[in-house]
Amino acid sequence: IPIRAMVFIAVTATAGAAALGISCLHWRCDDPLKFCCYLLIAILASTMKVSLPGIESTMSVTFLFILLGVLELSLPEVLILGCAAALVQSLWKAKKRPQLVQVVFNILSVTAVGVWLTYLGYHYAVVLFRGSLTLSVLTAGGIYFLTNTVPVSAILALVSKSSMIKIWKETYFWGLPYNLAGAAVVGTMHFSNRFVGWQNSLL
């Protein structure tokens, strides 16, 4: 791995570790059963990858439960959920054993940083858009999409010495509509929770 790529990973992983560590120092769990259910389902979802038409890469359905967690759980809970799912996703039925640096990058540089920024972005959007669920959820979906695809495109560009923008457009750009559609599903689930309860909505 080129030195520039290692520096990029070190900086972003440090930011992710800081976000995870500081958040866990302020641990808060209002509904342990709900957190455990979301965590279990997110881990199970991380073992599934969906191939989408027109896209070379696959998409993990874990992002649905991470976004749902952003709306309904505390920041440390969502970070634990996201990082646990990322760990399982990195190791589950891998064609070849991933290197430690790859696992660290996926968990800290991509997931931890992405979840942290998405959580902050969503709660800022709630204030900015005066409580509009639709706009706030779509904002969260867009932030999560960017924070998950831009760092990967950047590291691929540094390793292959090619254009990051070109890699992002060719590999990830067309996944945005699917991501936003997923965000709409999450918004619908969150809205329905108020009337039927999170257990029924999740089922």
Side-chain angles (χ1 to χ4, degrees), residues 4 152-165 167:
R4 290 184 299 173
V152 177
S153 300
I155 204 69
L156 291 175
L158 289 171
V159 171
S160 62
K161 296 181 180 179
S162 60
S163 169
M164 184 194 81
I165 296 176
I167 291 174

Side-chain angles (χ1 to χ4, degrees), residues 56-68:
E56 294 180 7
S57 61
T58 57
M59 178 178 286
S60 172
V61 295
T62 307
F63 86 96
L64 293 171
F65 301 100
I66 291 177
L67 281 180
L68 189 60

Side-chain angles (χ1 to χ4, degrees), residues 91-131:
L91 302 177
W92 180 262
K93 291 185 178 180
K95 293 181 179 179
K96 65 176 184 179
R97 189 174 181 178
Q99 298 178 1
L100 178 60
V101 67
Q102 293 174 310
V103 177
V104 169
F105 177 74
N106 288 335
I107 295 173
L108 297 178
S109 301
V110 178
T111 304
V113 172
V115 168
W116 182 70
L117 290 175
T118 302
Y119 190 91
L120 294 182
Y122 168 74
H123 288 277
Y124 178 77
V126 169
V127 177
L128 180 65
F129 298 125
R130 298 180 180 180

Side-chain angles (χ1 to χ4, degrees), residues 8-191:
F8 179 79
I9 292 172
V11 171
T12 52
T14 300
L20 183 60
I22 293 172
S23 297
C24 286
L25 286 176
H26 299 86
W27 175 260
R28 180 172 62 85
C29 182
D30 297 328
D31 190 339
L33 177 60
K34 184 177 184 179
F35 168 64
C36 290
C37 287
Y38 279 28
L39 176 63
L40 178 61
I41 293 177
I43 290 174
L44 291 175
S46 68
T47 65
M48 299 181 290
K49 293 182 180 180
V50 180
S51 296
L52 301 173
I55 301 176
E56 294 180 7
S57 61
T58 57
M59 178 178 286
S60 172
V61 295
T62 307
F63 86 96
L64 293 171
F65 301 100
I66 291 177
L67 281 180
L68 189 60
V70 165
L71 272 63
E72 302 196 351
L73 301 176
S74 66
L75 177 56
E77 287 177 300
V78 189
L79 281 167
I80 293 296
L81 182 150
C83 290
L87 176 61
V88 172
Q89 185 175 324
S90 298
L91 302 177
W92 180 262
K93 291 185 178 180
K95 293 181 179 179
K96 65 176 184 179
R97 189 174 181 178
Q99 298 178 1
L100 178 60
V101 67
Q102 293 174 310
V103 177
V104 169
F105 177 74
N106 288 335
I107 295 173
L108 297 178
S109 301
V110 178
T111 304
V113 172
V115 168
W116 182 70
L117 290 175
T118 302
Y119 190 91
L120 294 182
Y122 168 74
H123 288 277
Y124 178 77
V126 169
V127 177
L128 180 65
F129 298 125
R130 298 180 180 180
S132 170
L133 178 62
T134 301
L135 293 177
S136 301
V137 172
L138 289 178
T139 298
I143 293 173
Y144 188 74
F145 174 76
L146 290 174
T147 55
N148 271 255
T149 57
V150 171
V152 177
S153 300
I155 204 69
L156 291 175
L158 289 171
V159 171
S160 62
K161 296 181 180 179
S162 60
S163 169
M164 184 194 81
I165 296 176
K166 181 181 178 182
I167 291 174
W168 185 79
K169 283 184 177 179
E170 292 179 352
T171 310
Y172 298 108
F173 176 72
W174 297 107
L176 180 59
Y178 298 100
N179 189 278
L180 295 179
V185 171
V186 168
T188 302
M189 290 179 65
H190 177 66
F191 180 77

